[in-house]
Amino acid sequence: MARAHPAPVVTATLPLSPPPGPRQQRLLLVLREAGRELSARELHQLLEAAQEQQGLATVYRGLKLLQRAGLVRCRRLVNGESVYAPLERDQHHLTCVQCGSSEPLPICPLGGSGLGLTKVLLQGFQPLFHTFEIHGLCARCQQLQAPGHG
Amino acid sequence: MARAHPAPVVTATLPLSPPPGPRQQRLLLVLREAGRELSARELHQLLEAAQEQQGLATVYRGLKLLQRAGLVRCRRLVNGESVYAPLERDQHHLTCVQCGSSEPLPICPLGGSGLGLTKVLLQGFQPLFHTFEIHGLCARCQQLQAPGHG
DNA sequence: GCTAGAACGACAACCATTCTCACTCCTGAG
DNA sequence: CTCAGGAGTGAGAATGGTTGTCGTTCTAGC
Ligand SMILES: [Mn+2]
Ligand SMILES: [Mn+2]
Ligand SMILES: [Zn+2]
Ligand SMILES: [Zn+2]
């Protein structure tokens, strides 16, 4: 019977592609062991230190594969560089438009409520991950920008 | 003028800075008249066509001022360029990690529920705007990536 | 009119990312 | 085993949006 389902939320998706090759698995492992988001260059350097070097171009290629496989998420910092993290680490940020600092924000807009991200809205689009960010002024930059600075 | 503001929620914030100068007001006007997000270069060219040219560096400077004043929002496209829109236009997107296409997503994670963006969470951070994006594969790229392609 | 400081604009510099292309490695056929 | 084909790789060049530099122009105050 077609009962009124609580709208099957379509995010937190299943992997699409077959498991990636060994190079990509190494990338994923390093990302999982790191406690934070890593840039492509950091990843490249960490691999180098671990005697498993991969050319920077290869790192970028691998990260793109992992994204398409639904294993890695990515966001761009204000300074232009992209940072990567495992998909299962669901983390968002407060980012200062002035100094670019970015600190964790312990909420997720899709977390509890579900938000009703139905297939109707997605219309054939296959979601892999989401980004949510609040941009504004950090406490320090507010003071520096304040009119009466003393 | 004074648009209805629905929100007890802490986002959709009040302007912080004094009203910007005439150059910035022109930028804001063009952004409001355009039906879509504009890049700095597009803005520069539109102003040129309207006999109100501003150097590209000045356009960037003005956009940063408008952001800090709580009048303009900004997001980065996959190809690296930033696009700008008036703050009151609350729009989010589905973005393809493969081809970079980005189509509107008619929901906002802060819209109805409020999400509980309390001052406790923000801890002195002054929110100006937010970005929310679902990244994945558009219908076309799913087909091209499919295993049995025919 | 004159001066100090802010705003401006043309252009150079920056730098993360992507592209190029020669080379290596793997695989399957013979 | 030998070899051809193709995918994967890596070093370096190219790309391009954004930011920095710095001499010029505008503005306000006297
Ligand atoms: Mn989340
Ligand atoms: Mn919104
Ligand atoms: Zn700041
Ligand atoms: Zn696509």
Side-chain angles (χ1 to χ4, degrees):
Chain A
M1 44 162 83
R3 69 201 104 209
H5 277 125
V9 175
V10 198
T11 315
T13 32
L14 53 165
L16 294 175
S17 308
R23 311 293 288 270
Q24 287 79 45
Q25 291 184 14
R26 302 245 64 104
L27 290 175
L28 186 53
L29 187 63
V30 175
L31 284 175
R32 285 184 169 149
E33 287 178 344
R36 60 191 180 86
E37 300 165 298
L38 297 178
S39 71
R41 182 166 303 273
E42 286 173 316
L43 213 29
H44 171 67
Q45 289 171 343
L46 285 175
L47 287 169
E48 200 168 48
Q51 309 289 0
E52 302 171 5
Q53 37 261 85
Q54 296 187 22
L56 190 53
T58 301
V59 171
Y60 277 109
R61 283 187 284 242
L63 287 169
K64 188 154 282 185
L65 284 176
L66 287 167
Q67 271 185 79
R68 292 205 271 270
L71 295 169
V72 159
R73 75 175 70 238
C74 163
R75 75 181 176 113
R76 256 184 206 258
L77 303 182
V78 173
N79 66 17
E81 75 180 2
S82 298
V83 288
Y84 302 83
L87 194 79
E88 67 267 16
R89 197 183 304 160
D90 186 13
Q91 179 77 74
H92 306 289
H93 295 84
L94 294 173
T95 296
C96 181
V97 299
Q98 175 103 11
C99 67
S101 71
S102 199
E103 55 182 312
L105 175 66
I107 56 172
C108 172
L110 302 181
S113 63
L115 183 63
L117 239 199
T118 64
K119 285 182 177 170
V120 177
L121 279 175
L122 294 174
Q123 285 289 13
F125 186 93
Q126 168 67 56
L128 292 171
F129 62 95
H130 62 275
T131 52
F132 173 65
E133 206 156 353
I134 296 180
H135 305 258
L137 289 170
C138 71
R140 174 151 25 106
C141 288
Q142 284 176 60
Q143 293 179 333
L144 299 181
Q145 186 176 81
H149 75 296
Chain B
M1 304 268 200
R3 296 225 169 256
H5 33 69
V9 182
V10 192
T11 316
T13 31
L14 53 163
L16 295 174
S17 307
R23 311 291 290 270
Q24 287 79 45
Q25 291 184 14
R26 303 242 67 102
L27 290 175
L28 186 54
L29 187 63
V30 175
L31 283 176
R32 283 184 170 147
E33 287 178 344
R36 59 190 179 85
E37 300 164 299
L38 296 177
S39 70
R41 180 167 304 275
E42 287 172 316
L43 214 28
H44 170 68
Q45 290 171 344
L46 285 176
L47 287 169
E48 199 169 50
Q51 309 287 3
E52 302 172 4
Q53 36 259 84
Q54 296 186 21
L56 189 53
T58 301
V59 172
Y60 277 109
R61 283 187 283 243
L63 286 170
K64 189 153 283 186
L65 284 177
L66 287 167
Q67 272 184 79
R68 293 206 270 269
L71 295 169
V72 159
R73 75 175 70 238
C74 162
R75 74 179 175 114
R76 262 184 199 255
L77 302 182
V78 174
N79 65 18
E81 76 180 1
S82 298
V83 289
Y84 302 83
L87 194 81
E88 67 267 16
R89 197 184 301 160
D90 186 12
Q91 179 76 74
H92 306 287
H93 295 84
L94 293 174
T95 296
C96 181
V97 299
Q98 175 104 11
C99 67
S101 72
S102 199
E103 53 181 311
L105 174 66
I107 56 173
C108 172
L110 301 182
S113 63
L115 184 62
L117 239 198
T118 65
K119 284 180 179 172
V120 177
L121 279 175
L122 294 174
Q123 285 289 13
F125 186 94
Q126 168 66 57
L128 292 171
F129 62 94
H130 62 274
T131 52
F132 173 64
E133 204 157 354
I134 296 181
H135 305 258
L137 289 170
C138 71
R140 174 151 24 104
C141 288
Q142 283 177 61
Q143 293 178 333
L144 298 181
Q145 186 179 83
H149 75 296

